[in-house]
Amino acid sequence: MQKFAICRLLVAILYGAFGHSLTEVEWLELLDKGPKDPDIWKALDQYLECYEDRFDLVDPEKPFMQVAGLHTAKDDMKGLDWLVLDMPAGMHLFTTRTESSLQRMSMAEAARWLVTIQAFDVSGIKSGAIGDPRVKGGKGYPIGTAWCGNLGGLLNEGSNLWETLMYNFVSDELFDTDEENVDWSDDRPVWERAPLTAAVEKSYNQPQADTGIPRYFKGPATLCTWQSRRIRLAHDGEYVTGVLLCNGDRLKPQNAQGYETMTAWRRSEPQEKALKQPVVYMPRRHDPTRSLWRNLPALTVAAQEPDAINATLRPRSLDWLEQVMEQDQERGESTRPMRLHAYGVQYGNQEAVIEAMVDDALDLDLCLLTAQNPFIGQELAATVNLVDEGISALANLASNIAMAASLDPEGPRAQARERGYSSFDGVFRQWLRHVNLQNFDEEILRWRQTVRQLLLRLGIEQASLAPQKAIVGREISRKNNATGEEVTTHYSVALAEIWFRAKVNTIIPKEGE
């Protein structure tokens, strides 16, 4: 979580230093030259020098990402376990931290957690800050998770920090031809604004009635440094010793697809009905039980139908990279290795606790995600769908063997699916790492045969686990839904294997057939 939050903060610095409206050519020049170029280094240096005082963690008047003088009616402070998100307050079990390690914290670590908690803090009741009109009975009642907690975060990582930041730095030139109503003109990082107070910022805090209205989002630099909380760190001059954590500006993610660039999106009919709006998009959060490579089809360039409303949208950072990489390929660049890194949090119990964290990465050639030929995206989607179909056949094999042994098939089916995806996980990642536009057709054919061979091997292993009773098998009668007649079928290991092989041959015919 820290890496994602801090990278977003650094991207916000790029927006401050270089603006929002670079052309494709200007962006590529910035990418290629990097901070070793004197002019680029000077622009960064001058920008950071201009706002140097806003990055002081313990400034008495405008501390970094905090509110000076923030206090409650009781003038109390919380322990540092409120600052450390992977250690919920009051719970000191199953953690590598000792309770004594939270008595004080270095300034550097506290700064990292400060940026992270502004991005991912849980919902729930907070301390009631004096000056916040929403406080009742000394308590700040829930306004939802911090901004990044709404997202299925995706960070495009390059071969070094500069490439990583640039791959997530999107120009508003992306919206020249579509989404003309997207307006980034008032977008700026939090340190370019006046220091915050305990009260909400009216043009930023989104009332319940305005959920789904885009004007509160401002743009990517604003969202990368969104102040979901009002915070003040206590310190003794050398170490941070406590924290006051209160509610900040409320913001919900409905229809932020023109402003938040580091997540995929899905159309939500329930939200359209609730908000009485014709189209509402929500971020596609990550499923902790599902590997990132299985979502690859949603991240490729798909064939577009004119005037169609897409059910899903990929991250706008990838849309921008698609736009600039067309220029890149015209210059002769054919490959750019990239790591697609997924970050996210699954919350539980009214989003007041963290149940699971997502940290998954996929190495691939950037050109695969930016190639404007829809055939590339279709074929990549087919590679994943092939695995899904094959594992469904493997699950059916396990189910049929279980029924032949008079066992409940659901357990073996689930175990076969888990074993199947686990077996394909490393194989797919290794294969994808070496695929590019030059060897694409050859690699697709190789993948199909790899899937076939692995499925057949998994089928043999599944059959070898069959109980002795399944070898003989049994008769099972079922009603034919089409005719209504009862049909009796013999189930055994041998027949289950025959059915499985037939299905594999249908999905992936043997080479030469």
Side-chain angles (χ1 to χ4, degrees):
M1 293 190 297
Q2 286 188 356
K3 183 175 181 180
F4 186 64
I6 291 171
C7 280
R8 285 171 63 86
L9 181 143
L10 297 177
V11 170
I13 291 175
L14 294 191
Y15 282 111
F18 301 109
H20 297 72
S21 301
L22 277 70
T23 66
E24 292 92 335
V25 172
E26 291 170 336
W27 187 94
L28 282 167
E29 287 180 355
L30 190 62
L31 170 67
D32 291 339
K33 289 181 179 178
K36 291 182 179 180
D37 181 88
D39 292 334
I40 293 175
W41 179 254
K42 183 178 180 181
L44 286 167
D45 191 46
Q46 288 179 341
Y47 178 78
L48 290 170
E49 189 173 306
C50 179
Y51 294 99
E52 181 179 4
D53 59 332
R54 298 300 300 274
F55 286 84
D56 187 340
L57 196 66
V58 295
D59 187 282
E61 296 180 357
K62 41 186 183 298
F64 175 66
M65 281 198 171
Q66 301 164 72
V67 174
L70 187 73
H71 66 284
T72 66
K74 296 181 179 179
D75 207 22
D76 57 345
M77 276 277 173
K78 299 290 188 181
L80 292 176
D81 49 357
W82 284 78
L83 186 63
V84 179
L85 282 175
D86 58 2
M87 188 171 185
M91 298 292 289
H92 299 153
L93 302 174
F94 309 111
T95 174
T96 57
R97 283 185 179 271
T98 61
E99 192 169 352
S100 61
S101 71
L102 291 173
Q103 299 302 310
R104 63 180 189 171
M105 184 182 290
S106 71
M107 295 286 185
E109 185 180 7
R112 294 195 297 273
W113 278 118
L114 176 62
V115 173
T116 305
I117 207 163
Q118 288 285 17
F120 285 106
D121 190 34
V122 298
S123 186
I125 295 176
K126 309 295 178 186
S127 298
I130 297 296
D132 183 353
R134 300 167 297 179
V135 171
K136 297 179 181 178
K139 297 179 179 179
Y141 286 90
I143 62 170
T145 69
W147 176 251
C148 290
N150 298 297
L151 312 180
L154 285 165
L155 188 69
N156 307 320
E157 296 182 359
S159 58
N160 53 52
L161 177 61
W162 180 253
E163 282 190 4
T164 295
L165 299 183
M166 285 299 298
Y167 285 171
N168 297 279
F169 176 46
V170 178
S171 169
D172 62 10
E173 294 287 312
L174 175 66
F175 305 108
D176 275 356
T177 56
D178 63 350
E179 299 182 73
E180 295 177 357
N181 59 331
V182 174
D183 181 10
W184 291 3
S185 60
D186 194 29
D187 181 41
R188 49 190 170 166
V190 66
W191 49 82
E192 292 188 19
R193 295 155 50 193
L196 301 182
T197 67
V200 298
E201 291 282 293
K202 287 187 177 179
S203 63
Y204 290 81
N205 184 68
Q206 184 185 58
Q208 180 75 34
D210 287 353
T211 301
I213 295 177
R215 70 171 179 268
Y216 295 92
F217 303 124
K218 311 295 183 183
T222 302
L223 294 179
C224 283
T225 58
W226 188 265
Q227 299 297 282
S228 301
R229 303 292 181 255
R230 299 291 188 262
I231 300 174
R232 179 166 69 88
L233 299 177
H235 64 92
D236 59 11
E238 185 176 0
Y239 293 97
V240 171
T241 56
V243 60
L244 179 58
L245 184 62
C246 307
N247 281 327
D249 296 321
R250 176 192 182 274
L251 190 65
K252 296 298 181 182
Q254 288 90 333
N255 285 334
Q257 66 274 8
Y259 300 84
E260 175 52 63
T261 62
M262 297 188 196
T263 186
W265 300 85
R266 58 177 177 81
R267 188 177 176 186
S268 172
E269 290 186 11
Q271 288 293 322
E272 290 169 0
K273 292 177 182 177
L275 300 177
K276 296 181 173 57
Q277 295 184 18
V279 179
V280 175
Y281 284 102
M282 292 289 289
R284 289 188 58 165
R285 290 185 176 183
H286 300 304
D287 180 353
T289 66
R290 187 180 175 93
S291 297
L292 177 61
W293 62 267
R294 294 175 60 190
N295 293 325
L296 186 61
L299 302 174
T300 57
V301 180
Q304 300 291 324
E305 296 182 15
D307 302 320
I309 298 176
N310 295 321
T312 61
L313 299 172
R314 64 186 190 151
R316 308 319 294 268
S317 60
L318 292 180
D319 287 338
W320 172 247
L321 288 175
E322 175 193 345
Q323 198 163 307
V324 297
M325 286 303 134
E326 183 181 15
Q327 298 276 342
D328 202 36
Q329 289 170 21
E330 288 178 2
R331 300 187 314 171
E333 294 285 350
S334 58
T335 62
R336 279 192 184 270
M338 186 188 82
R339 170 169 288 185
L340 193 65
H341 210 140
Y343 297 94
V345 173
Q346 183 180 64
Y347 299 91
N349 192 17
Q350 298 183 323
E351 298 189 319
V353 295
I354 290 176
E355 285 191 344
M357 299 181 190
V358 173
D359 181 356
D360 192 5
L362 197 59
D363 294 320
L364 73 169
D365 193 315
L366 175 58
C367 296
L368 297 179
L369 296 180
T370 59
Q372 296 187 336
N373 182 353
F375 171 79
I376 301 295
Q378 292 166 2
E379 285 299 304
L380 284 174
T383 63
V384 177
N385 294 336
L386 204 64
V387 176
D388 289 337
E389 286 186 69
I391 290 178
S392 292
L394 183 69
N396 287 337
L397 170 63
S399 174
N400 290 335
I401 291 174
M403 288 192 293
S406 302
L407 299 174
D408 182 353
E410 291 309 312
R413 171 182 287 275
Q415 291 169 7
R417 291 183 67 84
E418 184 177 347
R419 189 185 307 116
Y421 280 116
S422 177
S423 299
F424 271 100
D425 188 79
V427 176
F428 186 90
R429 293 173 191 272
Q430 183 67 24
W431 169 78
L432 186 64
R433 189 177 290 122
H434 300 289
V435 181
N436 54 51
L437 296 183
Q438 285 67 47
N439 64 12
F440 188 78
D441 292 340
E442 175 187 335
E443 287 296 324
I444 290 293
L445 291 174
R446 187 168 73 85
W447 174 249
R448 291 179 60 84
Q449 294 310 308
T450 298
V451 174
R452 177 185 171 85
Q453 292 165 11
L454 184 50
L455 282 174
L456 292 175
R457 180 169 66 78
L458 289 171
I460 293 171
E461 291 176 1
Q462 187 68 47
S464 70
L465 300 174
Q468 190 170 1
K469 191 176 179 180
I471 297 173
V472 176
R474 67 186 180 110
E475 304 290 325
I476 297 179
S477 297
R478 287 180 173 173
K479 184 176 288 187
N480 187 310
N481 292 331
T483 64
E485 297 178 355
E486 197 165 274
V487 178
T488 300
T489 306
H490 186 77
Y491 280 69
S492 68
V493 175
L495 286 170
E497 282 193 279
I498 290 172
W499 299 333
F500 171 70
R501 286 178 172 273
K503 183 63 176 177
V504 171
N505 286 335
T506 301
I507 299 170
I508 315 165
K510 190 175 181 181
E511 221 172 335
E513 291 183 0

